[in-house]
Every structure is written in C-alpha cells, then in structure tokens.
Amino acid sequence: MSTPPGSQTPSTAPRSTGSGAGEKGLKTGALGLVSSVAIGLASTAPAYSLAATLGIIVVGVGLQAPIITILAFIPMLLIAFSYKELNASDPDCGTTFTWAARAFGPRTGWMGGWGIIVADIIVMANLAQIAGVYGFQLFGLDSLANSTTWTTVAGVVWIVVMTWICYIGIELSAALQRWLLCIEVVMLVLLSVTALVKVYGSNPPSTAITVDGSWFNPFEVSSSTAFTAGILSAVFIYWGWDTAVSVNEETADAARTPGRAAVISTVLLLLIYALVSTAAMAFAGVGTEGIGLGNEDNSGDVLSGLGDAVFGTSGFGGFLSKLMIFMVLTSSAASTQTTILPTARTSFSMAAHKALPSHFGRVHPRHLTPTWSTIGMGLASIAFYVLLTAISGNVLADSIASVGLGIAFYYGLTGFACVWYYRKVLTRSVKDFVLKGVAPLLGGLMLLYFFCYGAFDVYADPDYGSTSIDLPIFGKTGGVTVIGIGALVLGVILMLVQWAVQGSWFRRPDVPKEAADPATAP
C-alpha cells in the first residue's frame, strides 16, 4: 500500500482502552484556549454562514429573522454543555461516536460517528463552491465565477489545499484560523456598524427600515412551518463549534479546555449573528428587489451585494467592498479546513476503536496527524462535490439544506447520551442536575422535534426546495428529505457491512457501556 508523497511510513494508532487523551498517538498539548475558541468560531464560518443563510431565513420568516437567529442559539448552547460535560469524562476525539457508544451501545455510537462524517462531507460541497465563486469575484473574473466548470475546478483546488494544511499539522491549522478569524470578525462588525450609522443618518438608503421590537417577537412568525424551517436554517449558522472538542486530544488540559471553548464559541456566535442580522435587515430591508433580503435571487449570497451598498464601489469604500468578498472567501476556506479536522478525527477514532478499517487509524510519525483519515476526507469531499455538480445545481442546493437534519441528528444524540451516561449522578448537586441532566435533555428534545418536523413535514413537501423524487411507497417527496434521510440510511448499510467484515467493535466495544459511577464522575 503506497504512502502519501513526502511522508514516512505511517504508524497505526494503538487501540484506546481508556478515557484519557493522547492514547492514539496524536500531538498532545498543541492547542490552548484561544486557539480552541478560534477553531470553534472559524468552523462555523460566520461570514459564509450569514452570506448563504440569512436571505433564506428572511424569505421564510420576514422581519422576525433576528429573533430566529437568536432562538437557534438556545439548543446549540444546551448541546454545548453536553459536549463540555462528556468531554470532561472522556476527552476522545471521536466525540459523539464514543460518547453515544458509552451510553447506548456500539451500534448507536457508530451511527453518531456517521452523522458527523456525512454532515461534514455534504457541507464541504457548498463550502468549496462558495470559495470558488468568491475567489473569481475577488479578481473581477465574473465570467469564470458564473461558470460551473471553473468554479468546480477552483472548489476542488480549495479542498486539496486545505486538506494538505490539515495533513501537515494542527498547529499550522490553528495559526491560520486565528488570522482568518480576525479579518472575518473585524469586517462583520465594521459592516454592521457602518450600516446602522447610515440607517440612522441624515440620508438613509431607500431600502432602510428602523429597528423595531416586533423583530424580536417569535409569535409574529406567520406559521409553525415557517418557524421550524427558519430554526433549522438558523441552526446551520451555529454548527461547527464542536470542532473545538473534536481536537481535544491535541489540546492542553484536554478534559477542560475543549468544553470551555465550545461554550465560549457559541456565546460569541450569538453576539455576532444578532448584530449582523439586525444591521443587515435595517439597511437592506426585506424587499423582494435589489439588495432586499427578501429577494430570492440574493438568498444564496446576501453579503456581496450588501457590501457594495454599504461601503460603496469607489475609493476606500471600494477597497472595503473587495475586502468583504475576501472575507467571505477566507471564511469558506477556513471552514473547509476546520470541517476536515473533525471528520478526520472522528473516522480516526472509529478506526482506533476497530469500528472502521485500521488504515484510517494511522498517524503520521512526524506531523502526528491522522493520515488516511485526513486524505480520505478530502477525497470523499471532492468526489461528492464533483458528482453533485455534474448531476444538477438543484441537487447540490437541496443537499446543503439537508445538512440541518444531520446536524440535528448527531447533536441531539449527544444531548441524550449525556443525560443517560450521567443518570446516576444527577441528584448529587443542583449543578449536576442542570448541566448534566436538564440542559442536555432539553437540547436533545428540541433537536429531535426539529429533526422529525423538518424531515417528515417541511422538507418532505415536494414543493419545498429545488427537487422532488417519486418514491415507491411514499410517493413524491421533497429532495431535501430524501437526501437527508437517505444519507443516514446509507450509514446503516455501511455499518452492517463493517459489522460483517470486521465486527469486533460491535461484539466487544472497547469503551465501557455502563453509566458514570457517582463517586468518580467529574
């Protein structure tokens, strides 16, 4: 079997039998709290997420978009507490895979790991597409930006470059994330403040509307369907902070720092999204023409047009507009990188625990990063991206919408795993009852509701999204549901194949299934 160019003969990670970090051969102590928070924030790609999602939320719920982005924070924070508590007991880079296996058994754990992998591979297609489009727009190459072939080529190049960075070291990845994140946050704040100053200035734009209390009233959303679809879309813009936990085995104080970084990242995201969504809507309005956020032509990218309108297109304003394009480009590129990190480490952990072929558990002897898992993630992402682009842009769009189902699945599963794993210590103190019991349970129930309502009602509607498929038993069904549920069903099939080929994980999982002992649980 050949090794990657420039690498030495990789080593196979030892089988982990305990809960401590660093047992699999990864580089320990490489990340501190600041780097972990930077990775958690960059993984959500705030600029890219807002560019791709804010318009969709506004089209669905109108003026209540700000409160929808705020409410989506609640289940995310509750699940962040789940990650924090579970990581304190078991800082394993497999995260949901390992924790769900401890709570519910090897098959549930395997599906939790698959949920992470499939969600990340699907979203990589959109991240690569955005990076390709914005890369050409940055240099004024609009004809190439409108070409499916060239944007696909550019997207593939982005995936290759980011896979290489993840391959050669976690510290380089973290350093790059800190710089990219600084540019991103500064530009988002500058855009928001400039927009609000112009809205309340002496010569506001014709689209401007002043901020009103009704924007923050969820009961003014037109229907429960619109509310649920809006929350599912808004959950997507928070997704990614768990990368800070997936690199726990490479973090200093692995039992505490990753969990703290996850919670801090989630709170910082709330502040960013509340500010930007409010300022953007106040400046652009919710009209269906021009830069209006209700214009469906802008729903896939609201920031590029908004940057030109807020900053202008000449002089220093033109420079800032170009910087906005660069910001979204770097945001999607950064998220491409940090999407590779958790997927590679999930598959790496699954291989170390004998739940995937052992090759995925190999570590580079010098870089101390997963080899096959990292490169495999890049190749799988490229294959999926090229395949969907070749089939149809509509299928690609619906696949991105289906990511919300994968997120709700594995985040919700983590919440339930936390409650069950710590069930014996919930009455030990009020803190344990709230953080190990109530918060994870509420987060899991919320995401279970949104998953079921989204998959079997909102997304199943054949008129929802860009495609529909005529299924033998269920009839015509929305493409978003078919892709989202189909991806999870594919996981069941692959699990059965793995069980038949190498079934030691399913017969003798090397993590203790029993719940935490009250005397030893942190």
Side-chain angles (χ1 to χ4, degrees):
M1 198 68 68
S2 62
T3 58
S7 70
Q8 304 170 36
T9 304
S11 60
T12 302
R15 180 172 179 170
S16 173
T17 57
S19 61
E23 297 175 349
K24 304 182 186 69
L26 297 175
K27 187 172 186 177
T28 59
L31 304 174
L33 180 61
V34 174
S35 293
S36 296
V37 171
I39 286 177
L41 283 174
S43 298
T44 66
Y48 153 74
S49 298
L50 287 167
T53 309
L54 182 56
I56 296 173
I57 297 173
V58 171
V59 169
V61 302
L63 291 170
Q64 280 66 53
I67 189 59
I68 291 296
T69 61
I70 292 172
L71 289 177
F73 159 78
I74 296 175
M76 292 297 98
L77 179 65
L78 298 178
I79 297 302
F81 280 122
S82 304
Y83 272 77
K84 181 177 181 294
E85 295 300 327
L86 286 166
N87 183 77
S89 280
D90 185 9
D92 189 296
C93 63
T95 61
T96 302
F97 155 70
T98 310
W99 301 333
R102 280 178 174 269
F104 303 124
R107 289 172 292 278
T108 304
W110 202 97
M111 286 304 298
W114 173 253
I116 297 174
I117 293 171
V118 74
D120 286 346
I121 289 177
I122 289 175
V123 83
M124 282 287 283
N126 195 287
L127 289 168
Q129 181 83 354
I130 291 288
V133 170
Y134 271 80
F136 289 129
Q137 287 182 352
L138 181 64
F139 296 101
L141 303 174
D142 293 339
S143 60
L144 295 181
N146 294 323
S147 168
T148 300
T149 300
W150 282 107
T151 54
T152 302
V153 170
V156 169
V157 171
W158 273 114
I159 294 176
V160 170
V161 171
M162 293 304 156
T163 301
W164 176 76
I165 291 174
C166 292
Y167 180 83
I168 64 175
I170 188 68
E171 290 163 312
L172 176 60
S173 299
L176 180 61
Q177 291 304 321
R178 288 195 297 269
W179 282 105
L180 295 179
L181 184 64
C182 286
I183 297 173
E184 192 173 352
V185 173
V186 168
M187 283 305 300
L188 285 174
V189 172
L190 183 60
L191 174 73
S192 302
V193 172
T194 304
L196 289 173
V197 167
K198 290 191 173 183
V199 168
Y200 287 95
S202 58
N203 188 27
S206 59
T207 57
I209 51 178
T210 56
V211 178
D212 188 86
S214 63
W215 297 8
F216 304 95
N217 184 357
F219 298 104
E220 295 201 18
V221 177
S222 59
S223 67
S224 59
T225 298
F227 180 85
T228 301
I231 290 289
L232 279 170
S233 297
V235 161
F236 173 78
I237 67 178
Y238 285 96
W239 173 49
W241 49 261
D242 53 302
T243 302
V245 185
S246 69
V247 294
N248 48 18
E249 296 194 40
E250 296 146 281
T251 305
D253 195 359
R256 296 178 58 208
T257 298
R260 292 169 59 198
V263 175
I264 292 171
S265 299
T266 310
V267 174
L268 290 176
L269 285 170
L270 170 67
L271 300 177
I272 293 171
Y273 291 150
L275 173 63
V276 177
S277 61
T278 302
M281 201 164 73
F283 185 91
V286 294
T288 56
E289 297 181 358
I291 64 169
L293 300 185
N295 185 346
E296 295 191 10
D297 293 336
N298 300 334
S299 61
D301 175 17
V302 299
L303 289 187
S304 59
L306 193 61
D308 289 343
V310 172
F311 296 127
T313 57
S314 60
F316 184 66
F319 167 75
L320 291 178
S321 295
K322 284 291 185 182
L323 196 55
M324 278 290 297
I325 295 176
F326 178 71
M327 175 199 65
V328 179
L329 169 63
T330 58
S331 176
S332 59
S335 190
T336 303
Q337 176 192 343
T338 50
T339 298
I340 295 169
L341 290 175
T343 315
R345 278 144 185 81
T346 298
S347 59
F348 169 76
S349 178
M350 293 176 76
H353 288 288
K354 310 302 181 186
L356 281 181
S358 60
H359 289 84
F360 289 98
R362 294 186 175 183
V363 178
H364 194 284
R366 178 161 54 93
H367 301 314
L368 300 181
T369 56
T371 52
W372 276 55
S373 288
T374 301
I375 294 172
M377 170 57 184
L379 292 176
S381 300
I382 290 171
F384 182 78
Y385 174 41
V386 172
L387 176 64
L388 288 196
T389 303
I391 295 174
S392 167
N394 290 335
V395 175
L396 178 61
D398 278 358
S399 72
I400 301 308
S402 72
V403 169
L405 297 178
I407 298 168
F409 172 76
Y410 84 83
Y411 272 2
L413 179 59
T414 306
F416 292 131
C418 184
V419 177
W420 191 251
Y421 179 72
Y422 284 116
R423 67 189 185 278
K424 294 182 179 179
V425 302
L426 295 182
T427 58
R428 186 174 58 182
S429 68
V430 173
K431 180 181 178 181
D432 285 334
F433 182 72
V434 173
L435 297 184
K436 293 179 172 66
V438 175
L441 180 61
L442 287 177
L445 289 173
M446 287 179 187
L447 290 171
L448 175 62
Y449 167 76
F450 290 127
F451 176 89
C452 293
Y453 193 41
F456 304 115
D457 190 336
V458 179
Y459 293 159
D461 187 341
D463 294 327
Y464 186 91
S466 305
T467 62
S468 62
I469 299 174
D470 197 357
L471 299 176
I473 298 177
F474 303 99
K476 187 164 276 192
T477 307
V480 177
T481 285
V482 174
I483 295 171
I485 299 298
L488 295 177
V489 172
L490 175 62
V492 175
I493 296 172
L494 293 177
M495 179 181 69
L496 294 176
V497 172
Q498 173 66 17
W499 195 344
V501 173
Q502 181 189 5
S504 61
W505 162 256
F506 302 97
R507 292 190 298 269
R508 297 179 303 277
D510 59 355
V511 294
K513 182 179 177 183
E514 62 271 11
D517 181 76
T520 60

